[in-house]
Amino acid sequence: MSAYQSRYLGFIRDLVLSSLWLLFLAVLNRKSSVPIVSILPYLFPVVVVSWRYGLGWGFLFAALGTLAAMPGDYLKEHQMKDLYWAAFTTYLKLTTVAVGIIWGRKIGHRRKGRN
């Protein structure tokens, strides 16, 4: 197997596993009477994808994590503006981590003498 094929398969594996994790969290949030309110489970895919594949992928998985974090019965108990605010703040937290990961990675590479 060539290095390109190995890298491509690793990319597909990471995207599929990260997507499945977020899908699992989304199903859990919709089926459970108590949603997962901690941001930590949603951070894992954002961190992995941002570190390995860049900020664009990190932003995409931050958006997917935001969607996965919304409980199924949210609109029954809250107004639409509350949903927008919750989605905005969740996305902001997840994208901030993605930017921090990229920033930290660049600083680490510069300290090792790489650009």
Side-chain angles (χ1 to χ4, degrees):
M1 182 180 302
S2 71
Y4 174 77
Q5 288 173 328
S6 177
R7 179 181 278 173
Y8 179 73
L9 289 176
F11 173 73
I12 297 298
R13 180 200 64 224
D14 290 343
L15 293 185
V16 167
L17 289 176
S18 295
S19 298
L20 286 174
W21 177 249
L22 290 175
L23 180 64
F24 169 74
L25 292 174
V27 169
L28 202 61
N29 274 336
R30 276 146 188 85
K31 299 294 182 185
S32 175
S33 61
V34 180
I36 302 168
V37 294
S38 172
I39 198 77
L40 294 177
Y42 307 100
L43 280 177
F44 178 71
V46 175
V47 168
V48 169
V49 172
S50 296
W51 181 264
R52 293 186 180 167
Y53 306 109
L55 195 55
W57 286 102
F59 284 167
L60 174 66
F61 274 83
L64 294 174
T66 300
L67 292 174
M70 293 296 125
D73 61 349
Y74 194 90
L75 286 177
K76 291 179 185 176
E77 300 173 11
H78 300 86
Q79 295 178 353
M80 187 61 96
K81 67 178 181 177
D82 296 330
L83 175 64
Y84 290 143
W85 180 250
F88 174 74
T89 57
T90 302
Y91 185 72
L92 187 63
K93 291 173 190 176
L94 293 174
T95 55
T96 300
V97 169
V99 170
I101 291 293
I102 296 301
W103 184 66
R105 186 174 178 199
K106 286 186 181 199
I107 288 174
H109 281 263
R110 286 189 182 141
R111 286 189 179 173
K112 290 182 180 180
R114 295 183 256 164
N115 288 327

